[in-house]
């Protein structure tokens, strides 16, 4: 079966995305108020590229697309400074994580002993980090715990995909960077500020979303060949 996904636009899109990333990081450092112009473009550009490359949207691809839209909404909510918008943003990204997880489970799920060992290590690190955070979370303890656990499960589901899929490593690295990005957010919000914290959060987030989306598309390109469909 001929793959229905072409990555011929990858290089020009990557250059365009890199420009968006540089502009947004500049605004993070020097002109936060202008991020209303740059931040929504991060996920919007990935959504447009995803639609251009996914000529036929089957079940898992629709799930992934809705996850991308949820991430776009989360980015917009987090532009507001009010506490309730932080919760809206957290909820949007929670939906994104769940939909990513559902997509990865449907997308050639092939567990192994090594993957189980990596999953146990990841869960152990998650538990250690939560022990550090817990005394500072107060009323946000349960929402943060649930959200963080879902991120870890999303990363585990990314690792459990068939490693023969093209772009497998991209998705796994992207998921790990997503954990790191949100780890910076939690530390800054509940523990203490970090010098250059905003840049660390956004640089890891920008790379994470790019790797997850492009890696997933690469996997879809050869999914049929791997599974002999």
């Amino acid at each position: 079966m001929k793959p229905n996904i072409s990555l011929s636009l990858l290089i020009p899109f990557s250059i365009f995305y890199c420009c968006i990333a540089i502009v947004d990081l500049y605004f993070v450092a020097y002109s936060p108020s202008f991020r209303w112009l740059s931040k929504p473009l991060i996920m919007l550009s990935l959504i447009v590229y995803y639609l251009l490359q996914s000529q036929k949207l089957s079940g898992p691809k629709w799930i992934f697309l809705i996850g991308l839209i949820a991430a776009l909404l989360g980015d917009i909510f987090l532009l507001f400074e009010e506490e309730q918008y932080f919760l809206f943003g957290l909820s949007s990204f929670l939906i994104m994580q769940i939909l990513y997880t559902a997509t990865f489970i449907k997308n050639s799920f092939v567990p192994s002993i090594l993957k189980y060992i990596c999953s146990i290590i990841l869960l152990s690190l998650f538990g250690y980090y939560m022990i550090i955070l817990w005394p500072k979370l107060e009323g946000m303890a349960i929402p943060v715990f649930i959200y963080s656990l879902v991120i870890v499960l999303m990363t585990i589901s990314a690792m459990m995909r068939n490693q023969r899929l093209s772009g497998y490593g991209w998705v796994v690295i992207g998921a790990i960077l997503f954990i790191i990005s949100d780890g910076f957010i939690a530390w800054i919000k509940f523990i203490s500020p970090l010098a250059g914290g905003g840049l660390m959060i956004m640089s890891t987030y920008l790379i994470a979303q790019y790797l997850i989306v492009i890696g997933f598309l690469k996997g879809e390109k050869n999914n049929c060949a791997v599974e002999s469909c």
Side-chain angles (χ1 to χ4, degrees):
M1 178 180 290
K2 183 179 179 180
N4 60 14
I5 294 175
S6 168
L7 295 177
S8 60
L9 295 177
L10 180 57
I11 292 176
F13 170 75
S14 297
I15 295 172
F16 177 70
Y17 185 82
C18 200
C19 292
I20 293 174
I22 291 171
V23 170
D24 189 64
L25 291 174
Y26 177 85
F27 288 157
V28 168
Y30 300 108
S31 303
S33 60
F34 284 96
R35 296 197 68 214
W36 281 99
L37 301 174
S38 61
K39 194 177 182 184
L41 288 177
I42 297 168
M43 292 310 303
L44 189 59
S45 65
L46 287 169
I47 289 170
V48 172
Y49 181 74
Y50 181 79
L51 288 172
L52 288 174
Q53 301 302 344
S54 297
Q55 299 173 9
K56 182 179 180 182
L57 290 174
S58 59
K61 295 178 189 175
W62 270 113
I63 295 172
F64 193 80
L65 174 61
I66 297 171
L68 296 177
I69 295 171
L72 171 62
L73 293 176
D75 279 344
I76 294 172
F77 284 134
L78 292 180
L79 286 169
F80 295 91
E81 296 183 358
E82 291 82 357
E83 186 69 20
Q84 66 266 29
Y85 287 106
F86 175 77
L87 294 175
F88 292 155
L90 197 71
S91 300
S92 296
F93 279 109
L94 178 64
I95 293 170
M96 182 213 76
Q97 303 288 358
I98 292 172
L99 294 175
Y100 278 11
T101 302
T103 303
F104 296 154
I105 290 174
K106 289 177 175 293
N107 183 235
S108 190
F109 200 67
V110 182
S112 69
I113 297 298
L114 178 59
K115 292 175 183 178
Y116 282 127
I117 292 173
C118 292
S119 299
I120 291 172
I121 293 172
L122 192 57
L123 286 168
S124 300
L125 291 173
F126 161 71
Y128 178 73
Y129 194 62
M130 287 307 304
I131 289 172
I132 296 173
L133 281 179
W134 195 264
K136 304 289 185 179
L137 295 178
E138 299 179 348
M140 290 291 294
I142 299 303
V144 169
F145 174 81
I146 293 173
Y147 177 80
S148 302
L149 179 60
V150 171
I151 295 178
V152 172
L153 294 177
M154 184 272 288
T155 304
I156 291 173
S157 69
M159 290 191 299
M160 291 293 179
R161 296 166 70 236
N162 192 330
Q163 62 270 23
R164 292 174 57 203
L165 284 172
S166 203
Y168 169 83
W170 293 45
V171 175
V172 173
I173 293 172
I176 292 172
L177 286 174
F178 214 114
I179 291 179
I180 294 172
S181 178
D182 281 3
F184 285 141
I185 293 176
W187 189 273
I188 292 169
K189 185 170 182 63
F190 299 109
I191 303 294
S192 66
L194 293 172
L199 291 175
M200 290 189 287
I201 291 168
M202 285 310 301
S203 59
T204 48
Y205 174 75
L206 283 158
I207 299 171
Q209 290 285 27
Y210 174 86
L211 290 178
I212 290 172
V213 173
I214 303 303
F216 177 74
L217 285 170
K218 281 176 171 287
E220 285 300 293
K221 185 177 181 180
N222 76 337
N223 195 24
C224 283
V226 169
E227 298 184 352
S228 301
C229 60

